Amino acid sequence: MGNGTSRRPHLGEILIQRGLVSAEVIDEALRIQVGGNRRLGYLLLKMKAISEAQLVEVLSEQLRLPAERIGTVAPEAKGVLPRYLCRRYNAVPLRREANNVLVLAMTDPLDQEAVADIDRYTGLVAKPVLAGQSEIDGAVASQIPLSMRDIFNPQVFNRLARLATAVSLILILVLAVSLYQDHRLRKYGTVTEQASTVVYKNHDLMVGKKSDGKVTLQGHAAFDEGVIDVRLDGPAAFSAFVEGKKPSFSGQQYEWLQWLIRERLARAG
């Protein structure tokens, strides 16, 4: 027995009654819908079971809300809602009416959360009417002006902030690598191979380690007026020469030569 209240027919029931889709198609769409938040009408459109015009007409009957074709958005309504919110809520403000009422075309007029958000944002009382998705998309693109609110909206700003953070981190990494390489170059100099000789250069000095074990030293010591150009029998002789001329070298030169003896020449044999 009924309780005396009229039940609003389901979308699927109306579509079947009108002969627009079969019960089998509705059952398939409902199976797909399980576990998700996609609306039945959206699924039927994607399945190409009905057209958008058919969906809008049936939804208007089911929801007992007028369906409205979007013509020209009234000038006083164009700037009420920025594009990013129109797209977020699939809504377009059409016109303002008396008593602070905003007529709002929506694909889902029963989305109370969206309606409440638009009320708070605009300070007006939204009165939803039904419209198709393609009409709303077209109206947003052609009639709702792009504003600074769209450029600096939280969604875009957050993306820009994330992008700026990523770029900053990359720049910091590049700078750190560059500083590290510069530090290594100043401390250790350059290393090249010339025929049978490995050549180390830094601080106006050039040290050559030949394949036969002999070591050459050329360049200018910081506290010597002459030019050094010697050929030594091996790392031990080279080390003794450096120690003998220690007063002639700057601190950086002497430190680098000691590093060469310890880390490169002695290990090379």
Side-chain angles (χ1 to χ4, degrees):
M1 296 291 292
N3 58 9
T5 59
S6 60
R7 180 181 69 84
R8 178 180 295 168
H10 294 300
L11 175 64
E13 293 174 344
I14 300 175
L15 291 169
I16 293 171
Q17 289 169 5
R18 290 193 174 192
L20 296 175
V21 295
S22 66
E24 289 75 19
V25 171
I26 295 296
D27 288 341
E28 182 181 1
L30 290 173
R31 283 194 297 271
I32 296 171
Q33 188 185 34
V34 171
N37 56 4
R38 293 172 296 180
R39 292 187 174 275
L40 179 61
Y42 168 86
L43 291 174
L44 291 171
L45 279 177
K46 291 297 182 182
M47 295 167 64
K48 301 189 182 301
I50 57 173
S51 68
E52 185 177 275
Q54 290 171 328
L55 176 62
V56 170
E57 183 181 351
V58 173
L59 283 175
S60 177
E61 176 184 333
Q62 181 204 21
L63 304 178
R64 301 189 181 100
L65 283 174
E68 188 155 340
R69 297 297 301 272
I70 301 177
T72 302
V73 175
E76 72 275 7
K78 286 187 175 183
V80 170
L81 208 60
R83 280 190 184 186
Y84 81 94
L85 287 181
C86 290
R87 292 194 173 106
R88 177 185 298 176
Y89 297 124
N90 289 316
V92 173
L94 298 180
R95 57 188 174 275
R96 294 181 64 164
E97 295 182 342
N99 301 316
N100 223 28
V101 171
L102 175 68
V103 179
L104 189 71
M106 301 182 70
T107 58
D108 185 7
L110 295 185
D111 187 344
Q112 294 302 313
E113 184 177 349
V115 172
D117 284 350
I118 292 170
D119 283 349
R120 286 191 292 269
Y121 185 89
T122 62
L124 304 172
V125 179
K127 183 173 83 173
V129 295
L130 185 65
Q133 183 72 61
S134 61
E135 285 204 57
I136 287 179
D137 289 343
V140 171
S142 63
Q143 300 196 59
I144 303 301
L146 187 66
S147 68
M148 295 300 290
R149 291 177 294 176
D150 293 297
I151 297 172
F152 293 103
N153 76 78
Q155 185 176 356
V156 171
F157 182 80
N158 289 338
R159 286 202 299 267
L160 290 176
R162 289 195 294 270
L163 178 60
T165 300
V167 170
S168 298
L169 290 174
I170 292 171
L171 290 176
I172 290 171
L173 180 61
V174 169
L175 179 61
V177 171
S178 177
L179 290 173
Y180 175 73
Q181 290 176 338
D182 185 60
H183 168 74
R184 286 189 60 84
L185 183 62
R186 288 198 307 271
K187 185 172 182 179
Y188 303 116
T190 62
V191 181
T192 57
E193 291 192 19
Q194 300 175 0
S196 60
T197 304
V198 180
V199 179
Y200 304 89
K201 293 181 181 180
N202 205 11
H203 304 304
D204 294 328
L205 297 174
M206 182 171 68
V207 176
K209 175 67 168 62
K210 297 183 176 296
S211 59
D212 61 5
K214 290 182 170 48
V215 181
T216 60
L217 173 61
Q218 295 174 316
H220 177 71
F223 304 116
D224 230 349
E225 293 185 358
V227 175
I228 301 172
D229 189 357
V230 296
R231 180 184 178 93
L232 302 156
D233 287 337
F238 179 78
S239 178
F241 177 83
V242 169
E243 286 300 317
K245 286 191 66 69
K246 179 177 179 181
S248 300
F249 297 119
S250 69
Q252 286 183 326
Q253 287 179 323
Y254 180 75
E255 182 182 349
W256 178 67
L257 290 169
Q258 288 298 310
W259 172 80
L260 271 182
I261 294 167
R262 182 178 64 253
E263 300 294 333
R264 295 294 183 265
L265 303 182
R267 290 186 179 185

